[in-house]
Amino acid sequence: MRTQFVIVLLALYVSIAHAADPLDNWGQWRGPLADGTAPRGNPPVEWSKDKNIKWKTPLASKGSATPIVWGDQVFVPVVIDTGRAADANSLPKPNPQFEKKTKTPTTYHQFVLVSFDRNSGKERWRQIATERVPNEGIQPTHSYAASSPVTDGKRLFVSFGSQGIYCYDLDGKLLWSRDLGRMNTRFGWGEGASPALHGDTLVMPWDQEAGSFVVALDAATGKTKWKVDRDEPTTWTTPLIVDHKGRTQVILPGTNRIHSYDLATGEVIWHCAGLSINVIPCSVARDGIVYCMSNYRDAKAVAIPLDATGDATDKILWKYAQATPYVPSPVLVGDRLYFTQANLTQLTCLDIKTGKPVIDRERLPGLDSLYGSPVAAAGRIYITGRNGTTLVLKQSDKLEVLATNRLDDPIDASPAVVGRQLLLRGEKFLYCIEAP
């Protein structure tokens, strides 16, 4: 009896230890290593609406925010149009300084964070962070639920941009909130950058058409640690936070300059020439080098040493000027950097040591267009198209399709991989894919 009790305790200890290990979770939108990979993941290769669907659960709104997974919970932000009209005095006042190509809503929206049980898909809790009339519209293919949450297993952070930043514990209790003001995005296309977390610091970019900045908040209290103004127009990119030789850098690309900030102080460590307008892809780093890219009418990718200081433009290791992504981010696997061209279904793979292509704009069959970013696990690359189809590719120097998996649900969000499970956020449903 005593032996059985010890075995049960050991199993419980192992279970708790794995639940607390970031490598066994998907605590931020680009995964535990912030490069799109799940080092301990091994999800199915094949699925369909009738095969390997562990569960699916309805979602209250569409969105491009990636599901975040910690332990036995899956966290998803949704934004619900209540249909309740606001009176004229309650409507946000337009700013004539900024050109808008979208229509500002006139109804109240609920900005909500939902927790689902990872084993069953049942809702565990939901918190309405706020109920407001959004201060601007969104581009037709965009949504208000665009910023992915981030968690360290103790606290859970979600940004609704102009509607505030909110911190909860994992049981859904509100710990603090911050209002950073109103953002005015390019043409009123909407907001989308996600916060980044490192230790006790939460970093939030705030690039807009005027008055851009980046701010570091105390993760425990939400109080400002530092704030740095930025001479940048609107971007939708999420910061990359990386440790390098005893110093932690916050990498934040922009149209005018790519900047590295000291996480502790906000001091600029290095900067270099910028990318295209409308910067969206998240940077990735490996072995002391960071890779930044974007593509809106101007394809650019650069490799920059993290040892740089001051103006690093002349220290760029290599440049690549074609086929880079617009909305999706790249995935970095070993010494290979995989990405798609603009929002098109063409795959390129670069050798990160040379910047030379080993796969050059190979067409991805079965997909139409892309918003979600590729992820990698167990020697495979998973790429999900906006038509709900996911290609599973062999991780190699040539295009080799292992499976084509179709769901009848549009998908703009990036996949999340945890263990044997793949989480997909569709327009209608949240899916957990797992082989029996």
Side-chain angles (χ1 to χ4, degrees):
M1 191 75 174
R2 180 182 175 84
T3 300
Q4 291 178 332
F5 179 70
V6 171
I7 291 173
V8 170
L9 283 180
L10 286 173
L12 180 61
Y13 173 79
V14 170
S15 175
I16 292 173
H18 277 288
D21 190 333
L23 293 180
D24 290 311
N25 293 281
W26 196 271
Q28 56 186 340
W29 88 275
R30 292 307 285 147
L33 302 178
D35 58 9
T37 66
R40 297 177 184 168
N42 189 16
V45 175
E46 297 181 334
W47 65 88
S48 68
K49 65 178 182 178
D50 302 315
K51 180 180 180 181
N52 288 340
I53 304 296
K54 181 178 176 66
W55 51 260
K56 74 174 186 178
T57 190
L59 291 173
S61 78
K62 71 174 186 177
S64 53
T66 292
I68 299 303
V69 184
W70 196 275
D72 59 358
Q73 293 189 80
V74 182
F75 305 102
V76 180
V78 296
V79 178
I80 304 165
D81 185 351
T82 68
R84 183 165 60 91
D87 61 65
N89 294 329
S90 301
L91 293 176
K93 300 298 185 291
N95 189 330
Q97 177 185 354
F98 305 106
E99 180 185 359
K100 302 291 184 181
K101 293 186 177 181
T102 59
K103 186 178 180 181
T104 302
T106 58
T107 55
Y108 285 96
H109 288 54
Q110 291 181 345
F111 295 81
V112 184
L113 185 62
V114 186
S115 166
F116 297 96
D117 186 280
R118 182 178 154 198
N119 296 310
S120 66
K122 294 181 179 179
E123 185 174 313
R124 293 179 60 159
W125 55 259
R126 69 167 50 203
Q127 290 293 345
I128 300 174
T130 188
E131 184 172 302
R132 303 186 193 177
V133 180
N135 67 285
E136 63 181 16
I138 48 175
Q139 199 264 356
T141 61
H142 196 33
S143 77
Y144 290 110
S147 178
S148 302
V150 60
T151 182
D152 57 4
K154 298 178 294 183
R155 291 179 288 258
L156 175 66
F157 307 87
V158 62
S159 171
F160 290 111
S162 296
Q163 278 61 241
I165 300 172
Y166 301 85
C167 174
Y168 298 90
D169 67 16
L170 269 60
D171 293 323
K173 177 184 177 182
L174 180 65
L175 302 178
W176 56 260
S177 64
R178 279 292 304 271
D179 187 341
L180 297 181
R182 172 174 169 171
M183 185 180 290
N184 291 283
T185 62
R186 178 176 167 85
F187 298 140
W189 281 341
E191 306 168 16
S194 301
L197 179 65
H198 188 283
D200 61 359
T201 304
L202 185 77
V203 178
M204 188 69 213
W206 208 261
D207 287 349
Q208 53 180 324
E209 291 306 279
S212 297
F213 60 86
V214 56
V215 62
L217 306 179
D218 184 290
T221 66
K223 294 181 179 179
T224 299
K225 288 188 169 185
W226 53 259
K227 178 181 175 182
V228 177
D229 292 337
R230 285 169 54 80
D231 180 23
E232 292 292 342
T234 305
T235 67
W236 291 267
T237 189
T238 297
L240 172 69
I241 305 180
V242 58
D243 294 319
H244 181 67
K245 294 184 177 179
R247 200 175 192 184
T248 304
Q249 300 187 32
V250 179
I251 312 298
L252 195 52
T255 300
N256 298 324
R257 309 292 286 178
I258 301 168
H259 281 90
S260 167
Y261 302 96
D262 188 312
L263 179 68
T265 65
E267 173 191 358
V268 175
I269 300 173
W270 55 261
H271 58 90
C272 71
L275 301 170
S276 70
I277 61 173
N278 296 359
V279 178
I280 300 176
C282 187
S283 304
V284 290
R286 175 74 47 78
D287 298 330
I289 300 171
V290 64
Y291 306 92
C292 306
M293 61 181 63
S294 71
N295 185 353
Y296 183 75
R297 302 177 181 172
D298 187 12
K300 289 184 179 180
V302 293
I304 310 159
L306 293 174
D307 285 333
T309 56
D311 191 340
T313 303
D314 293 335
K315 299 180 178 68
I316 291 174
L317 301 176
W318 54 254
K319 300 178 182 179
Y320 192 74
Q322 55 189 3
T324 51
Y326 177 29
V327 172
S329 292
V331 60
L332 177 56
V333 190
D335 60 359
R336 294 293 186 260
L337 190 60
Y338 294 86
F339 53 86
T340 50
Q341 178 176 354
N343 297 334
L344 306 176
T345 58
Q346 293 181 339
L347 180 71
T348 292
C349 175
L350 300 185
D351 182 326
I352 63 172
K353 297 177 182 178
T354 64
K356 303 297 183 183
V358 293
I359 300 175
D360 186 7
R361 289 169 288 184
E362 292 282 340
R363 185 178 176 276
L364 296 166
L367 305 180
D368 52 5
S369 62
L370 303 167
Y371 273 7
S373 303
V375 298
R380 302 183 290 270
I381 309 293
Y382 293 73
I383 302 178
T384 300
R386 301 191 67 215
N387 61 355
T389 297
T390 300
L391 289 186
V392 182
L393 312 178
K394 183 178 180 180
Q395 180 192 320
S396 70
D397 289 351
K398 63 179 182 179
L399 181 63
E400 183 177 341
V401 177
L402 300 177
T404 302
N405 305 299
R406 296 181 174 87
L407 295 174
D408 185 22
D409 197 358
I411 298 176
D412 285 349
S414 303
V417 177
V418 180
R420 297 171 54 242
Q421 295 178 344
L422 180 79
L423 282 298
L424 290 175
R425 183 210 181 122
E427 186 172 301
K428 303 173 185 175
F429 294 95
L430 175 65
Y431 301 84
C432 179
I433 299 163
E434 180 183 1

